[in-house]
Amino acid sequence: MADEIRHRRNETNDRVTDGGHASGERSNSAQSGAHADETLPPLGSIARWFVTTNHKDIGILYTVTALFFLVFGGVLALLMRVQLWVPGGELLSPVSYNQTVTAHGLLMIFWFLSPFAFGFANYVVPLQIGAKDLAFPRLNALSYWLYLFSGALFGVSFFQGESLSGGWTMYAPLNVPTYMPSVGATTVVLALILFVASVTVSSVNFLTTIHRMRAEGLTYWRLPLFTWTILLTVWMMLFAFAALLAALLILASDRLLGTTYLAAEGGGSLLWAHLFWFFGHPEVYIVFFPALGVMAEAFQTFTGRRLVGRKWFILAMVLVAIQSFAVWMHHMFLTTINLQVKTLFMATTIGISLPFDLMVFALIYTMVKGRIRFTTPFLFSFGALVLFIIGGITGVFLGAVVLDYEFRGTYWVVAHFHYVMVAGVTALIGGLYYWYPKMTGRMYNERLGTLHFGLFFVGFNLLYFPMFLAWETPRRVIEYDPAFVTWHQLATVGAFVLAASFLVMFWNLSRSLFVGEDAANAPWEFATTAEWAVPSPPPLENFPGTPSYGSGSLQFVTPNRVLTPGGARGVADGGTADAAGPHGHDLGAHDQGHESHASAWPFVVGLASFVALLGLSGARDGGFPPGVEGGIYAGIAVVGVALLVFALVGMTRQRFYGPRGPFGESWPFERVENVKIGVWFFLASDVVLFGAFIGAYVFTRVAHGWVDWEIVPHDPLPGLVNTYLLLTSSFSVVLALVAAEKGSRYGLLAGLIATMALGVGFLVNKAIEWNELFHEGLTVSSSVETSTFYLTTGLHGAHVLVGLLIALYMIVKAARGAYLDDGRPVEYFGLYWHFVDIVWLFLFPLFYII
């Protein structure tokens, strides 16, 4: 049996993967995968990429799309460098230059860096933890299509007058229509909102998968380091992007509805800075952590040595992930925050560098104690370490209040920022070479890979290091001191060398895809994680059985036999696992039956979202402007919303089977099913969203004077009535769940209908109240008091509306006998509805009484 598996691991030619055909006969694992979903087209079909929900396909889509946005943002960067060849260059006008700078920053940070990393995460993480797919495959596909269409929406902004031109930080009040009135600027904001929706869906999916679907015996301590970094990254994303969403919704409201949140004197600009940087600083680690995971994997593989201080390395990452939310104000040292607060955040900034010191030394000692193999993935990983050290040291300067006063707004910040962020890009490029054989079944050309690294490293340093020397150049300005011309011209030359290096990469990888040598299952001698124990590329359902580490090493368990991969591989992460007996799970049950792998609805939902937001971008002051243009935008919005409703209904009605348990390691969530924990993770993100809105209200009110603040609803009675309505509706949801558990159809229907009636009553009462306020002249744009009231309670009302739509759908299904044999969907709806009710218990006293 061992000989058979060793032969299977070394096959490179005679296999079929993911439904595609190669020369020779099908392997058994490929056959089982090919039959898993007859509706999934073969790899060579274009239709495959529009309907696939398989994590490996989605990973490839993410990777290719992110590389496209790399080229997009890179071309903009070259335009900037040509413009700066001499002071006041004439290639671009000042306004065009500002749009170029802004678009470059937004594209690289949002649409390239994190999605590039999550291309690898989608492909590799389920393989590393022994899962057949992510917990929610259709949501995984949806996250990709929302990402793609958000990028397309961003691109459209250039054809709507002017795109956003205020820098990637979009500082207020420059981001409001008074200073940036173009439709294109609004489109960028809506594109970012759609991108955040993609991130939230993806974060919930990865958190559920990693926490609930690890292989037998794969405890948290045994998780591969790349999976660890993704786990911490998605935790940070879940909360950080919720804060960004709050900021973007406030900005979109100012631009679309005419609210005066950010334009208000006495705190609007400072409020934006707080919300944005509460997201912005964790974003640095969100970008860098996956790169750190690639570095750790590459250092272990190409030194033949398990990472020195591995547990301390993990603890350091956890500490950084937590601390990342406590340092945001060091970006605000030039604001009016008092010196004591600035000093506190200077200390937290210096403190967060200490865990990174531990991680850097762990990587260095791993090299010292191992035997280095200078392959292309290792060269890029080592180069990333060097660049990150320089970026980290120069960043310490900015963490000191006094030095920050001198350096802020100069090219010192530009250089430091790129030495940190592009260090992450460097490691991720190494990850592309590292997993390229696994993803394609082909080996790249090592000489061209080495040439790529040489050009990349020289070009990068030639581009960015002169910026330290010309640091007195102001950011985002086309004029600079002629004394710095030489440094800027060197930087421009470096930019083109760096761009040339990517041409080498694209040639190498595209050519190797067709003529490269066949890749073995494990082309790297000391690679030990589970993805190297299956064919390259893996079959559709990943494994020939259910992966298990229960015996201390990787085995594939089927109902009839146990397959043990040959060789010394198949350990969780570069070390030996403790021998541990099975935990009593029926491992073979996971392989009985097949999951679905195809659905066109995620694509349709993404397209509909794009159309709806494109139409919405033309709105102003709560409506569409008169004339042909306004009518066109209104028509597009109506079509988009109708298509979105149709797509969502179609997606809910589709019979789709995701990965089925029981799974191996799920501590501490063994008794919580995937959907339920997914709902909890989503609600955790929603807590931050509402927390940000409530915090924004309190901050704005304090800035304007708490006592002088005019409470908008003059009569608290409508709010009190709504409080009773929602509290009663929570009780009716509980009754509906009890009835479902008892098998009472009429009781279930009565509970759901009562909940819906009470919710409708809430919205009707709210509409009457708002109508009376409007007649009193208190509109959304009357004052900052009315803006905060309407926007915050309106966001809550939107949540109530979503809940009512879900309730209506469930009533229709319950009338046909659904939920009587499985009341869990009623429970999940109840969790959401109770959350909405709890939020109102905070909003009522804040906006009606205090």
Side-chain angles (χ1 to χ4, degrees), residues 1 36 77 155 210 271 295 447 454 556 561 657 711 729 736 744 810:
M1 180 64 68
I210 298 174
L271 170 64
M295 293 164 63
R447 289 185 179 180
F556 297 134
R561 57 179 180 171
Y657 301 98
I711 297 178
S729 70
S744 171
M810 297 184 72

Side-chain angles (χ1 to χ4, degrees), residues 499-520:
S501 76
F502 282 102
L503 294 179
V504 174
M505 182 193 80
F506 286 124
W507 169 251
N508 185 5
L509 299 185
S510 59
R511 181 176 181 274
S512 298
L513 187 62
F514 298 98
V515 301
E517 295 181 4
D518 290 329

Side-chain angles (χ1 to χ4, degrees), residues 197 330 453 771:
H330 75 226
F453 171 75
N771 184 58

Side-chain angles (χ1 to χ4, degrees), residues 555-596:
Q555 294 180 326
F556 297 134
V557 182
T558 69
N560 300 318
R561 57 179 180 171
V562 175
L563 307 179
T564 305
R569 299 173 179 83
V571 182
D573 187 16
T576 57
D578 298 330
H583 299 326
H585 297 297
D586 180 10
L587 298 175
H590 186 66
D591 280 325
Q592 295 174 0
H594 295 296
E595 290 79 19
S596 302

